[in-house]
Amino acid sequence: MVGEDWGLIVLSFLVRVGFFLFGIYQDANFKVRYTDIDYFVFHDAAKYVYEGKSPYARDTYRYTPLLSWLLVPNHYFGWFHLGKIIFVILDLITGFLIMKLLNQAISKKRALMLESIWLLNPMVITISTRGNAESVLCCLIMLALYYLQKGKYTMAGLLYGLSIHFKIYPIIYCIPMAIFIYHRMRKEGPRAQLTALLNIGVSTLVPLLGCGWAMYKMYGYEFLDQSYLYHLYRTDHRHNFSIWNMLLYLDSANKGNGGSNLSKYAFVPQLLLVLVTGCFEWWNPTFDNLLSVLFVQTFAFVAYNKVCTSQYFVWYLIFLPFYLSRSHISWRRGILMVTLWAVTQGIWLSQGYYLEFEGKNVFYPGVFVASALFFLTNVWLLGGFITDLKTPVPLAMAGKKNN
């Protein structure tokens, strides 16, 4: 790694240290805490594990037990913030992997700028230093893709399966990944193609089924219900940018009294989009395009998900540097897209503040209109990303990539 890359890593580390220390100060001196509410849930669940109990004894803990195990050192060493350091380290490793995977054909200056989208992104830094665990998942996904690019399908599958165990949504990547491997092994013949696909398939199932079986044996049906099934029937409406927000709120208020069943079918348009965008890899089966396809696929998944909070944006931000490395979108249009995304998100956050901190009844039209504006903006952005993704790569650029 050249000096500029190390400089960026060091700078991003120092910035995270600053955010981390300020967060401790804010928690001690301000009414509004810096630490994410989810981190308190992780920390409390880890305490139950440390005491030999189930992490699900902590109300609202709805994750794999492995996450609570990761924070057991909080209680062993007696320091509440230790888990955040683990998340920050994984956050930095993710940034390092982005550096390793970025297309080497682009200029060093542009590469550094794209790497900064993750390493110096205030949203990414805030999420990890506040104690949100998304960096664990992001690191697993990027590690899996790193080994996939190297052709080490067993290791890629093991990491990919573990990422699905942590949160089930990465399963959507199986289609474009399979397409990539199929085309990559075409010259070796059908037997090599089948062997490679079976290799990564079986190695994915080993940690996925193995961890699932082990957790089920330890914690029973509660593990399945809280880690996976809950996300099918959840009706979270707080901090939710989704267009389904209002309907989820009404359904949660009408539990036991009938109500709409429409929210149960929220996954239908989401599933269709995820399947269609995943197949875009077929028309340009390169690794660079795979990373761009994963960006568009994840963006569609998050935009149409019935629950959408700020940390979900990190799911597609890990792929944004790769997408921009081959994008044809002009900088003017890019600025417009970012501005609309930020402004409509800000509108929703203002309404969310009035609702949750000042107790004002702004569900309608405030929160509803803000959710609709943000959703429509994301749909427009998604259309632009798909159009851009389908634009052929110039021959000159394609030649560089093949060298």
Side-chain angles (χ1 to χ4, degrees), residues 157-353:
L158 292 172
L159 290 162
Y160 180 51
L162 190 57
S163 73
I164 299 173
H165 173 75
F166 260 82
K167 281 195 176 177
I168 199 168
Y169 88 87
I171 199 171
I172 66 176
Y173 302 150
C174 65
I175 292 178
M177 288 172 64
I179 293 173
F180 167 73
I181 295 171
Y182 174 82
H183 279 274
R184 185 190 227 184
M185 303 300 294
R186 173 172 285 181
K187 292 182 179 179
E188 280 73 18
R191 179 174 293 181
Q193 289 173 310
L194 181 60
T195 300
L197 289 170
L198 284 175
N199 189 345
I200 194 169
V202 171
S203 57
T204 296
L205 289 175
V206 168
L208 179 59
L209 298 181
C211 288
W213 179 83
M215 297 301 104
Y216 180 77
K217 292 293 289 185
M218 294 179 68
Y219 302 111
Y221 177 78
E222 193 172 29
F223 154 69
L224 294 177
D225 182 59
Q226 294 298 300
S227 295
Y228 299 119
L229 301 180
Y230 164 77
H231 299 282
L232 299 177
Y233 60 78
R234 65 189 298 186
T235 57
D236 299 26
H237 59 87
R238 296 173 67 87
H239 313 289
N240 186 3
F241 295 95
S242 173
I243 189 67
W244 299 93
N245 178 51
M246 183 63 71
L247 187 58
L248 292 175
Y249 171 72
L250 294 174
D251 283 352
S252 65
N254 292 321
K255 279 186 177 179
N257 298 317
S260 170
N261 289 316
L262 185 60
S263 62
K264 296 179 180 179
Y265 303 99
F267 73 93
V268 175
Q270 181 187 44
L271 178 62
L272 291 175
L273 271 172
V274 164
L275 291 175
V276 170
T277 53
C279 291
F280 288 162
E281 176 66 10
W282 186 268
W283 286 273
N284 182 17
T286 64
F287 186 74
D288 290 338
N289 190 63
L290 172 64
L291 296 173
S292 295
V293 167
L294 297 185
F295 167 75
V296 174
Q297 195 182 31
T298 310
F299 190 93
F301 180 88
V302 173
Y304 281 80
N305 202 38
K306 69 178 182 180
V307 176
C308 176
T309 58
S310 296
Q311 63 260 33
Y312 287 25
F313 304 150
V314 175
W315 296 356
Y316 55 74
L317 282 177
I318 57 173
F319 302 118
L320 183 58
F322 308 106
Y323 175 82
L324 293 179
S325 70
R326 52 82 56 210
S327 175
H328 305 83
I329 296 175
S330 68
W331 66 269
R332 289 186 180 87
R333 184 176 178 83
I335 290 175
L336 175 62
M337 296 170 84
V338 171
T339 300
L340 287 175
W341 181 81
V343 168
T344 52
Q345 184 182 161
I347 293 173
W348 191 98
L349 289 171
S350 68
Q351 298 304 306
Y353 174 82

Side-chain angles (χ1 to χ4, degrees), residues 1-12 95-96 98-121 320-322 324-325:
M1 185 181 292
V2 298
E4 293 91 339
D5 288 335
W6 279 118
L8 181 58
I9 288 286
V10 171
L11 176 60
S12 61
F96 176 80
I98 290 173
M99 284 184 170
K100 300 288 287 184
L101 288 175
L102 264 177
N103 194 323
Q104 298 302 310
I106 62 177
S107 67
K108 192 65 214 174
K109 181 178 179 181
R110 190 178 182 206
L112 286 171
M113 179 185 70
L114 294 176
E115 293 159 4
S116 299
I117 291 175
W118 179 268
L119 286 168
L120 297 181
N121 190 318
L320 183 58
F322 308 106
L324 293 179
S325 70

Side-chain angles (χ1 to χ4, degrees), residues 23-92:
I24 295 177
Y25 175 80
Q26 180 174 326
D27 283 351
N29 295 279
F30 290 84
K31 181 179 180 181
V32 178
R33 287 181 173 270
Y34 181 83
T35 301
D36 195 316
I37 185 64
D38 287 343
Y39 186 75
F40 289 95
V41 176
F42 306 154
H43 177 79
D44 293 347
K47 181 181 179 182
Y48 285 112
V49 172
Y50 183 67
E51 296 172 348
K53 303 174 184 176
S54 168
Y56 301 107
R58 204 305 183 178
D59 188 35
T60 74
Y61 183 79
R62 299 186 175 102
Y63 311 89
T64 170
L66 295 184
L67 179 56
S68 63
W69 295 6
L70 193 63
L71 267 66
V72 166
N74 281 18
H75 303 281
Y76 184 83
F77 293 102
W79 190 31
F80 172 77
H81 300 284
L82 183 58
K84 296 180 185 178
I85 294 179
I86 297 174
F87 296 157
V88 168
I89 291 172
L90 294 174
D91 178 9
L92 287 170

